Amino acid sequence: GYAITVHRSQCMTYNKLVVDLTGINWKPGMFYTILSRTRKLSDIIILAYDRKSFKVSKPALKEMHRLQKIEEEYPIKIEQYLGTKRFIEWCLPHLSNINQLSSMPSKEINTSTLDHGDVKRIKRKNSNLCTSLSLKKPESIIICENQEKNYCGRHALRALSQNLDIFSDDYLINVAQNIVASEQICRNGEFIQTTDYYYENTGDYDIQILEAALRNVLNIDLIKFHKIENIDCPIRSLIFSNTQNIQAFLVQEGYHYYCIRRFRLTKDYFFKIDSKYPMCHQPIRHQDILPFIGTLLDCGCNIYVTIQHVNDQFNEDLSIENIATRLWALPDSPADLEVLTIFA
Protein backbone atom coordinates (compact mmCIF):
# COMPACT_ATOMS: atom_id res chain seq x y z
CA GLY A 1 0.00 0.00 0.00
CA TYR A 2 0.95 3.64 -0.12
CA ALA A 3 -0.22 6.99 1.18
CA ILE A 4 -1.66 9.76 -0.95
CA THR A 5 -2.96 13.26 -0.27
CA VAL A 6 -6.59 14.19 -0.73
CA HIS A 7 -5.73 16.67 -3.49
CA ARG A 8 -3.75 14.05 -5.39
CA SER A 9 -6.60 11.53 -5.15
CA GLN A 10 -9.09 13.69 -7.07
CA CYS A 11 -10.57 12.06 -10.19
CA MET A 12 -9.30 8.65 -9.11
CA THR A 13 -11.28 5.55 -8.12
CA TYR A 14 -9.99 2.98 -5.64
CA ASN A 15 -11.19 -0.48 -4.64
CA LYS A 16 -10.36 0.14 -0.97
CA LEU A 17 -9.41 3.26 0.93
CA VAL A 18 -8.15 3.95 4.47
CA VAL A 19 -8.62 7.53 5.65
CA ASP A 20 -7.35 9.55 8.60
CA LEU A 21 -9.70 12.49 9.21
CA THR A 22 -7.80 14.00 12.10
CA GLY A 23 -5.31 16.84 11.93
CA ILE A 24 -5.29 20.52 11.11
CA ASN A 25 -4.77 20.25 7.36
CA TRP A 26 -8.39 19.62 6.39
CA LYS A 27 -10.14 22.18 4.23
CA PRO A 28 -13.79 22.65 3.17
CA GLY A 29 -14.78 20.16 0.47
CA MET A 30 -12.17 17.53 1.29
CA PHE A 31 -14.62 15.14 2.93
CA TYR A 32 -16.76 14.94 -0.20
CA THR A 33 -13.63 14.20 -2.24
CA ILE A 34 -12.82 11.27 0.06
CA LEU A 35 -16.35 9.83 0.05
CA SER A 36 -16.48 9.84 -3.75
CA ARG A 37 -13.21 7.99 -4.34
CA THR A 38 -14.69 4.48 -4.06
CA ARG A 39 -17.70 2.86 -5.71
CA LYS A 40 -19.27 1.96 -2.36
CA LEU A 41 -19.06 3.64 1.06
CA SER A 42 -18.36 0.23 2.60
CA ASP A 43 -14.99 0.26 0.80
CA ILE A 44 -13.80 3.21 2.91
CA ILE A 45 -12.20 2.62 6.32
CA ILE A 46 -12.08 5.72 8.56
CA LEU A 47 -9.33 5.40 11.17
CA ALA A 48 -10.33 8.39 13.26
CA TYR A 49 -12.15 11.65 12.95
CA ASP A 50 -13.35 14.65 14.89
CA ARG A 51 -16.13 17.10 14.20
CA LYS A 52 -13.63 19.65 12.94
CA SER A 53 -12.94 17.32 10.02
CA PHE A 54 -16.40 18.00 8.61
CA LYS A 55 -16.08 21.50 7.26
CA VAL A 56 -18.39 23.35 4.93
CA SER A 57 -17.47 26.50 3.04
CA LYS A 58 -19.62 29.31 4.38
CA PRO A 59 -19.05 31.49 1.28
CA ALA A 60 -20.18 28.56 -0.87
CA LEU A 61 -23.36 28.12 1.17
CA LYS A 62 -24.02 31.85 0.96
CA GLU A 63 -23.57 31.80 -2.82
CA MET A 64 -25.91 28.79 -3.18
CA HIS A 65 -28.57 30.62 -1.16
CA ARG A 66 -28.15 33.72 -3.32
CA LEU A 67 -28.54 31.76 -6.57
CA GLN A 68 -31.58 29.88 -5.27
CA LYS A 69 -33.22 33.18 -4.35
CA ILE A 70 -32.52 34.57 -7.83
CA GLU A 71 -34.03 31.48 -9.44
CA GLU A 72 -37.18 31.82 -7.34
CA GLU A 73 -37.63 35.53 -8.06
CA TYR A 74 -36.62 35.48 -11.73
CA PRO A 75 -37.41 32.08 -13.26
CA ILE A 76 -35.84 31.71 -16.70
CA LYS A 77 -37.90 30.13 -19.46
CA ILE A 78 -35.91 27.78 -21.66
CA GLU A 79 -37.29 29.35 -24.86
CA GLN A 80 -35.97 32.70 -23.68
CA TYR A 81 -32.62 31.23 -22.74
CA LEU A 82 -32.18 29.60 -26.14
CA GLY A 83 -32.44 33.02 -27.71
CA THR A 84 -29.46 34.53 -25.91
CA LYS A 85 -25.75 34.51 -26.59
CA ARG A 86 -25.34 32.36 -23.50
CA PHE A 87 -27.04 29.49 -25.30
CA ILE A 88 -25.24 26.20 -24.93
CA GLU A 89 -26.09 22.86 -26.47
CA TRP A 90 -29.20 21.69 -24.73
CA CYS A 91 -30.71 18.26 -24.81
CA LEU A 92 -34.22 18.26 -26.23
CA PRO A 93 -36.31 15.37 -24.93
CA HIS A 94 -38.48 15.23 -28.07
CA LEU A 95 -37.26 15.93 -31.57
CA SER A 96 -40.76 17.10 -32.50
CA ASN A 97 -40.12 20.31 -30.55
CA ILE A 98 -37.10 21.31 -32.63
CA ASN A 99 -38.89 23.12 -35.43
CA GLN A 100 -41.12 24.93 -32.95
CA LEU A 101 -38.17 26.24 -30.97
CA SER A 102 -35.89 26.95 -33.90
CA SER A 103 -38.52 29.10 -35.62
CA MET A 104 -39.07 31.41 -32.65
CA PRO A 105 -38.71 35.14 -33.44
CA SER A 106 -35.70 36.75 -31.83
CA LYS A 107 -36.41 40.46 -32.33
CA GLU A 108 -37.63 40.99 -28.79
CA ILE A 109 -35.92 38.82 -26.21
CA ASN A 110 -35.83 39.31 -22.47
CA THR A 111 -32.57 38.13 -20.92
CA SER A 112 -31.37 37.94 -17.35
CA THR A 113 -27.83 39.04 -16.56
CA LEU A 114 -25.98 39.21 -13.26
CA ASP A 115 -23.88 42.25 -12.43
CA HIS A 116 -22.11 42.37 -9.04
CA GLY A 117 -24.74 40.20 -7.45
CA ASP A 118 -27.71 42.21 -8.74
CA VAL A 119 -30.21 40.88 -11.25
CA LYS A 120 -31.19 43.21 -14.04
CA ARG A 121 -33.83 42.75 -16.68
CA ILE A 122 -32.74 43.92 -20.11
CA LYS A 123 -35.12 44.09 -23.01
CA ARG A 124 -33.36 43.80 -26.33
CA LYS A 125 -35.08 45.08 -29.44
CA ASN A 126 -34.20 44.30 -33.04
CA SER A 127 -31.68 41.73 -31.88
CA ASN A 128 -29.89 39.74 -34.51
CA LEU A 129 -29.54 36.72 -32.26
CA CYS A 130 -30.42 33.42 -33.88
CA THR A 131 -32.23 30.55 -32.17
CA SER A 132 -31.61 27.89 -34.77
CA LEU A 133 -30.49 24.55 -33.35
CA SER A 134 -27.49 22.65 -34.63
CA LEU A 135 -28.84 19.53 -36.33
CA LYS A 136 -26.71 16.82 -37.86
CA LYS A 137 -27.48 14.01 -40.24
CA PRO A 138 -26.54 10.69 -38.64
CA GLU A 139 -24.35 9.72 -41.61
CA SER A 140 -22.33 12.94 -41.28
CA ILE A 141 -21.18 12.34 -37.71
CA ILE A 142 -21.66 8.68 -36.73
CA ILE A 143 -18.40 6.78 -37.17
CA CYS A 144 -18.66 3.69 -39.37
CA GLU A 145 -15.87 2.10 -41.41
CA ASN A 146 -16.36 0.60 -44.85
CA GLN A 147 -16.41 -3.19 -44.86
CA GLU A 148 -12.88 -4.53 -45.45
CA LYS A 149 -12.62 -8.26 -46.17
CA ASN A 150 -14.01 -9.97 -43.04
CA TYR A 151 -12.79 -7.38 -40.55
CA CYS A 152 -16.32 -6.70 -39.33
CA GLY A 153 -15.25 -7.49 -35.74
CA ARG A 154 -12.89 -4.53 -35.75
CA HIS A 155 -15.50 -2.40 -37.53
CA ALA A 156 -18.18 -3.26 -34.96
CA LEU A 157 -15.95 -2.46 -31.98
CA ARG A 158 -15.03 0.91 -33.45
CA ALA A 159 -18.68 1.62 -34.22
CA LEU A 160 -19.61 0.81 -30.62
CA SER A 161 -16.88 3.03 -29.19
CA GLN A 162 -17.17 5.64 -31.98
CA ASN A 163 -13.39 5.76 -32.03
CA LEU A 164 -11.09 4.85 -34.93
CA ASP A 165 -7.92 5.03 -32.84
CA ILE A 166 -8.53 1.86 -30.82
CA PHE A 167 -9.14 -1.83 -31.54
CA SER A 168 -6.54 -2.17 -34.27
CA ASP A 169 -6.13 -5.58 -35.91
CA ASP A 170 -2.68 -5.96 -34.35
CA TYR A 171 -4.25 -5.47 -30.94
CA LEU A 172 -7.10 -7.90 -31.60
CA ILE A 173 -4.67 -10.56 -32.86
CA ASN A 174 -2.59 -10.07 -29.71
CA VAL A 175 -5.73 -10.56 -27.61
CA ALA A 176 -6.50 -13.73 -29.54
CA GLN A 177 -2.98 -15.09 -29.02
CA ASN A 178 -3.25 -14.45 -25.28
CA ILE A 179 -6.56 -16.32 -25.16
CA VAL A 180 -5.02 -19.26 -27.03
CA ALA A 181 -2.03 -19.30 -24.66
CA SER A 182 -4.32 -19.23 -21.59
CA GLU A 183 -6.43 -22.03 -23.03
CA GLN A 184 -3.33 -24.16 -23.63
CA ILE A 185 -2.29 -23.70 -20.01
CA CYS A 186 -5.76 -24.70 -18.80
CA ARG A 187 -5.58 -27.83 -20.98
CA ASN A 188 -2.13 -28.81 -19.70
CA GLY A 189 -0.28 -27.85 -22.86
CA GLU A 190 -2.72 -29.39 -25.30
CA PHE A 191 -2.32 -27.87 -28.76
CA ILE A 192 -4.97 -25.29 -29.60
CA GLN A 193 -5.80 -24.28 -33.15
CA THR A 194 -5.51 -20.52 -33.45
CA THR A 195 -8.12 -20.68 -36.20
CA ASP A 196 -10.63 -21.53 -33.47
CA TYR A 197 -10.37 -17.88 -32.47
CA TYR A 198 -9.23 -15.87 -35.48
CA TYR A 199 -7.98 -15.93 -39.06
CA GLU A 200 -5.09 -13.50 -39.29
CA ASN A 201 -5.26 -12.80 -43.03
CA THR A 202 -9.02 -12.41 -43.35
CA GLY A 203 -10.03 -10.68 -40.13
CA ASP A 204 -12.48 -13.25 -38.77
CA TYR A 205 -12.59 -12.89 -34.97
CA ASP A 206 -14.40 -15.10 -32.47
CA ILE A 207 -16.80 -13.35 -30.09
CA GLN A 208 -14.43 -14.16 -27.18
CA ILE A 209 -11.87 -11.82 -28.71
CA LEU A 210 -14.36 -8.99 -28.98
CA GLU A 211 -15.50 -9.55 -25.38
CA ALA A 212 -11.92 -9.51 -24.07
CA ALA A 213 -11.01 -6.41 -26.09
CA LEU A 214 -14.04 -4.46 -24.83
CA ARG A 215 -13.28 -5.37 -21.26
CA ASN A 216 -9.59 -4.52 -21.52
CA VAL A 217 -9.99 -1.19 -23.31
CA LEU A 218 -13.37 0.18 -22.19
CA ASN A 219 -14.16 -1.90 -19.08
CA ILE A 220 -17.32 -3.20 -20.73
CA ASP A 221 -18.90 -6.65 -20.67
CA LEU A 222 -21.23 -8.28 -23.19
CA ILE A 223 -24.31 -10.11 -21.94
CA LYS A 224 -25.81 -12.58 -24.38
CA PHE A 225 -29.58 -12.87 -24.84
CA HIS A 226 -31.33 -15.90 -26.32
CA LYS A 227 -34.89 -14.54 -26.14
CA ILE A 228 -36.83 -11.45 -25.09
CA GLU A 229 -39.86 -13.13 -23.55
CA ASN A 230 -40.21 -15.52 -20.62
CA ILE A 231 -36.62 -14.90 -19.57
CA ASP A 232 -35.63 -17.24 -16.72
CA CYS A 233 -32.58 -15.24 -15.60
CA PRO A 234 -33.68 -12.39 -13.28
CA ILE A 235 -30.75 -10.18 -14.28
CA ARG A 236 -31.49 -10.48 -17.99
CA SER A 237 -35.16 -9.90 -17.26
CA LEU A 238 -34.22 -6.75 -15.32
CA ILE A 239 -32.16 -5.47 -18.27
CA PHE A 240 -34.91 -5.97 -20.85
CA SER A 241 -37.47 -4.37 -18.56
CA ASN A 242 -35.27 -1.25 -18.60
CA THR A 243 -34.73 -0.80 -22.33
CA GLN A 244 -34.88 2.97 -21.82
CA ASN A 245 -31.43 2.64 -20.22
CA ILE A 246 -29.81 0.33 -22.79
CA GLN A 247 -27.13 2.14 -24.76
CA ALA A 248 -26.02 -0.46 -27.30
CA PHE A 249 -26.34 -3.97 -28.69
CA LEU A 250 -23.71 -6.02 -30.49
CA VAL A 251 -25.24 -8.27 -33.16
CA GLN A 252 -23.61 -11.39 -34.59
CA GLU A 253 -25.42 -12.38 -37.77
CA GLY A 254 -23.71 -15.54 -38.98
CA TYR A 255 -20.07 -14.51 -39.39
CA HIS A 256 -20.88 -10.81 -39.55
CA TYR A 257 -20.82 -8.32 -36.65
CA TYR A 258 -22.51 -4.92 -36.38
CA CYS A 259 -23.96 -2.79 -33.60
CA ILE A 260 -27.17 -0.99 -32.68
CA ARG A 261 -26.45 2.10 -30.63
CA ARG A 262 -28.08 5.18 -29.11
CA PHE A 263 -26.61 8.64 -28.56
CA ARG A 264 -27.09 10.96 -25.61
CA LEU A 265 -29.00 13.81 -27.29
CA THR A 266 -31.10 11.52 -29.50
CA LYS A 267 -32.21 8.90 -26.98
CA ASP A 268 -35.56 8.32 -28.66
CA TYR A 269 -33.83 6.36 -31.43
CA PHE A 270 -31.36 3.52 -31.84
CA PHE A 271 -29.20 3.47 -34.97
CA LYS A 272 -28.09 0.33 -36.79
CA ILE A 273 -24.40 0.88 -37.59
CA ASP A 274 -23.23 -1.72 -40.09
CA SER A 275 -19.96 -1.61 -42.03
CA LYS A 276 -21.76 -3.12 -45.03
CA TYR A 277 -23.86 0.05 -45.24
CA PRO A 278 -21.54 2.78 -43.88
CA MET A 279 -23.64 5.66 -45.23
CA CYS A 280 -27.06 4.40 -44.15
CA HIS A 281 -27.76 4.09 -40.42
CA GLN A 282 -31.27 2.72 -40.01
CA PRO A 283 -33.09 4.54 -37.17
CA ILE A 284 -35.16 2.39 -34.81
CA ARG A 285 -37.61 3.96 -32.39
CA HIS A 286 -36.91 3.20 -28.77
CA GLN A 287 -40.37 1.65 -28.34
CA ASP A 288 -39.74 -0.63 -31.35
CA ILE A 289 -36.36 -1.98 -30.27
CA LEU A 290 -37.63 -5.15 -28.55
CA PRO A 291 -39.66 -6.35 -31.57
CA PHE A 292 -36.64 -5.55 -33.76
CA ILE A 293 -34.32 -7.58 -31.50
CA GLY A 294 -36.92 -10.36 -31.39
CA THR A 295 -36.90 -10.56 -35.17
CA LEU A 296 -33.10 -10.85 -35.22
CA LEU A 297 -33.23 -13.64 -32.63
CA ASP A 298 -35.83 -15.48 -34.71
CA CYS A 299 -33.43 -15.27 -37.66
CA GLY A 300 -30.68 -16.98 -35.65
CA CYS A 301 -28.64 -13.90 -34.71
CA ASN A 302 -26.70 -13.72 -31.46
CA ILE A 303 -27.56 -10.60 -29.46
CA TYR A 304 -25.33 -9.02 -26.81
CA VAL A 305 -26.03 -6.02 -24.58
CA THR A 306 -23.16 -3.78 -23.45
CA ILE A 307 -22.82 -3.25 -19.70
CA GLN A 308 -20.21 -1.70 -17.46
CA HIS A 309 -17.81 -4.27 -16.00
CA VAL A 310 -17.59 -4.23 -12.20
CA ASN A 311 -16.48 -7.75 -11.36
CA ASP A 312 -16.58 -11.23 -12.84
CA GLN A 313 -20.01 -11.86 -11.32
CA PHE A 314 -22.01 -9.09 -12.98
CA ASN A 315 -25.27 -10.24 -11.41
CA GLU A 316 -24.02 -9.58 -7.87
CA ASP A 317 -23.93 -5.80 -8.25
CA LEU A 318 -26.65 -5.11 -10.82
CA SER A 319 -29.78 -3.61 -9.30
CA ILE A 320 -32.58 -1.21 -10.14
CA GLU A 321 -30.60 1.55 -8.41
CA ASN A 322 -27.51 1.30 -10.61
CA ILE A 323 -28.83 -0.24 -13.81
CA ALA A 324 -29.04 3.12 -15.64
CA THR A 325 -25.33 3.80 -15.03
CA ARG A 326 -24.25 0.23 -15.75
CA LEU A 327 -26.11 0.02 -19.08
CA TRP A 328 -24.94 3.43 -20.36
CA ALA A 329 -21.30 2.40 -20.26
CA LEU A 330 -19.77 3.58 -23.53
CA PRO A 331 -17.88 6.91 -23.47
CA ASP A 332 -19.47 9.96 -25.09
CA SER A 333 -18.57 10.63 -28.70
CA PRO A 334 -19.14 13.62 -31.03
CA ALA A 335 -22.44 12.05 -32.09
CA ASP A 336 -23.57 12.09 -28.45
CA LEU A 337 -23.23 15.88 -28.41
CA GLU A 338 -25.44 16.55 -31.43
CA VAL A 339 -29.18 16.33 -32.03
CA LEU A 340 -29.42 13.93 -34.96
CA THR A 341 -32.11 14.48 -37.58
CA ILE A 342 -34.55 11.67 -38.27
CA PHE A 343 -36.50 11.50 -41.51
CA ALA A 344 -39.67 9.44 -41.42
Side-chain angles (χ1 to χ4, degrees), residues 13 24 58 61 70 134 143 150 165 168 172 185 196 206 265 296 299 303 309 311 314 329:
T13 302
I24 62 174
K58 291 182 178 180
L61 286 178
I70 291 173
S134 175
I143 293 175
N150 293 331
D165 297 326
S168 67
L172 294 177
I185 293 174
D196 291 343
D206 185 77
L265 295 192
L296 293 178
C299 294
I303 303 296
H309 173 75
N311 55 45
F314 71 89

Side-chain angles (χ1 to χ4, degrees), residues 1-41:
Y2 61 92
I4 191 172
T5 64
V6 177
H7 289 86
R8 183 66 180 85
S9 70
Q10 292 187 78
C11 302
M12 297 181 180
T13 302
Y14 300 96
N15 293 327
K16 297 289 183 181
L17 199 62
V18 180
V19 188
D20 183 0
L21 299 182
T22 58
I24 62 174
N25 296 319
W26 283 81
K27 304 296 181 183
M30 281 188 174
F31 191 63
Y32 169 80
T33 302
I34 288 297
L35 290 183
S36 57
R37 297 284 67 81
T38 61
R39 296 182 177 89
K40 296 184 293 186
L41 287 178

